[in-house]
Amino acid sequence: MPVYFSRKAPKLWRKICIEASIEVSLLAENWKYIHGLAAHGVHYLHRPGPTLQDVGFLLIPELGEDKAYMSETIFVFIFCSFVLWTFHPFFFQSKRIYTVLLWCRILAYLGACQILRIMTFYATQLPGPNYHCREGSKFARLPPPDSALEVIFINFPWGVIYGCGDLIFSSHMIFTLVFVLTYKKYGTIRYLKQFAWLLALIQSLLIIASRKHYTVDIVVAWYTVNLTVFFLDKKLPELPDRSSSSTSPRLPP
């Protein structure tokens, strides 16, 4: 009987990991849906107007609409690199983290930051500095919705790409800083940590240069995300270190 159980245990654990991954991914999808719905809804409240005076706009030259992809390229690189790193325990022997537990922690960071973001951009809607949010653009202002479904599926997928009004603070910087802070804590390669901070700074400047956000949106993101992660780390249980523990994870309550 013990031999039979020992053979079945690895298969059982793999099934648990797969099921946990599925549950976490479903949670991520539903959480992103809530934030997306809020971002779509605030588009109806957006009113285009003259671009506000901004120190970043005065100091950083405008890239132009044809080069707005540069900030997105940096973001996609950071996002994909981080996701691949979180799954490295499946392929490499050096295993300091449990992927499922790490993503649960990341979702807690992202969820808290996005809740703060929703409350902030609903409190005050600034005239969007992005090209499609300026006066004269057909995407800058939307007529009142005819039904709740119209809010949910607002110009999908154009509503996702051409959203306006959800400015303070930058969602791109939330993801970037959460990823960088997580790798800073659980990563092992020092020069990659420094490179990650450099990429976060470059992305901040490119977002301003692309006129996708005001400088205040970036500044608020930098200190809000750092403080949110700091306080959540104080409240949440520490993740088990695989390199110095047994093969069985100590799951948090």
Side-chain angles (χ1 to χ4, degrees), residues 89-144:
F90 288 84
F91 307 100
F92 297 98
Q93 293 298 322
S94 55
K95 303 175 181 179
R96 286 194 58 192
I97 60 172
Y98 291 99
T99 300
V100 171
L101 298 183
L102 183 68
W103 272 105
C104 288
R105 180 66 58 94
I106 293 168
L107 290 176
Y109 297 152
L110 293 175
C113 291
Q114 295 288 22
I115 289 173
L116 294 174
R117 181 173 188 261
I118 291 171
M119 292 190 298
T120 307
F121 66 62
Y122 265 100
T124 303
Q125 293 83 46
L126 305 180
N130 210 336
Y131 304 102
H132 63 266
C133 297
R134 300 175 184 178
E135 290 180 303
S137 171
K138 64 179 181 179
F139 299 109
R141 187 172 181 176
L142 296 176

Side-chain angles (χ1 to χ4, degrees), residues 34-252:
I34 294 172
H35 175 265
L37 180 61
H40 293 172
V42 79
H43 195 166
Y44 286 103
L45 303 177
H46 177 258
R47 296 294 179 266
T51 303
L52 302 179
Q53 183 176 348
D54 190 282
V55 174
F57 292 179
L58 296 175
L59 298 178
I60 303 175
E62 187 171 352
L63 286 177
E65 194 169 1
D66 59 327
K67 297 180 181 178
Y69 67 89
M70 295 177 65
S71 63
E72 295 296 331
T73 302
I74 296 291
F75 176 76
V76 170
F77 175 77
I78 294 173
F79 186 93
C80 293
S81 300
F82 180 80
V83 171
L84 290 175
W85 170 76
T86 61
F87 285 93
H88 79 271
F90 288 84
F91 307 100
F92 297 98
Q93 293 298 322
S94 55
K95 303 175 181 179
R96 286 194 58 192
I97 60 172
Y98 291 99
T99 300
V100 171
L101 298 183
L102 183 68
W103 272 105
C104 288
R105 180 66 58 94
I106 293 168
L107 290 176
Y109 297 152
L110 293 175
C113 291
Q114 295 288 22
I115 289 173
L116 294 174
R117 181 173 188 261
I118 291 171
M119 292 190 298
T120 307
F121 66 62
Y122 265 100
T124 303
Q125 293 83 46
L126 305 180
N130 210 336
Y131 304 102
H132 63 266
C133 297
R134 300 175 184 178
E135 290 180 303
S137 171
K138 64 179 181 179
F139 299 109
R141 187 172 181 176
L142 296 176
D146 296 326
S147 65
L149 289 177
E150 187 176 341
V151 179
I152 296 174
F153 299 105
I154 170 178
N155 293 331
F156 187 83
W158 300 108
V160 178
I161 302 172
Y162 295 107
C164 298
D166 55 327
L167 290 174
I168 302 178
F169 40 98
S170 171
S171 183
H172 282 61
M173 291 309 303
I174 290 177
F175 279 85
T176 297
L177 292 173
V178 165
F179 293 165
V180 171
L181 288 168
T182 302
Y183 185 77
K184 175 180 176 291
K185 184 172 183 179
Y186 299 105
T188 56
I189 304 177
R190 182 178 179 182
Y191 74 85
L192 284 182
K193 297 179 183 181
Q194 297 171 346
F195 181 63
W197 283 115
L198 177 62
L199 285 180
L201 177 60
I202 292 174
Q203 180 178 291
S204 300
L205 299 177
L206 287 176
I207 290 175
I208 298 173
S210 302
R211 303 302 188 252
K212 295 179 179 178
H213 279 279
Y214 292 105
T215 305
V216 66
D217 307 335
I218 306 301
V219 173
V220 172
W222 271 88
Y223 66 72
T224 302
V225 175
N226 277 276
L227 288 174
T228 302
V229 171
F230 173 78
F231 283 112
L232 283 178
D233 275 339
K234 295 292 184 181
K235 298 295 183 180
L236 296 175
E238 186 54 65
L239 296 182
D241 189 346
R242 294 184 66 160
S243 61
S244 59
S245 65
S246 64
T247 56
S248 300
R250 292 177 283 114
L251 297 176

Side-chain angles (χ1 to χ4, degrees), residues 1-10:
M1 187 67 179
V3 176
Y4 175 79
F5 179 77
S6 64
R7 290 177 179 175
K8 291 294 183 181

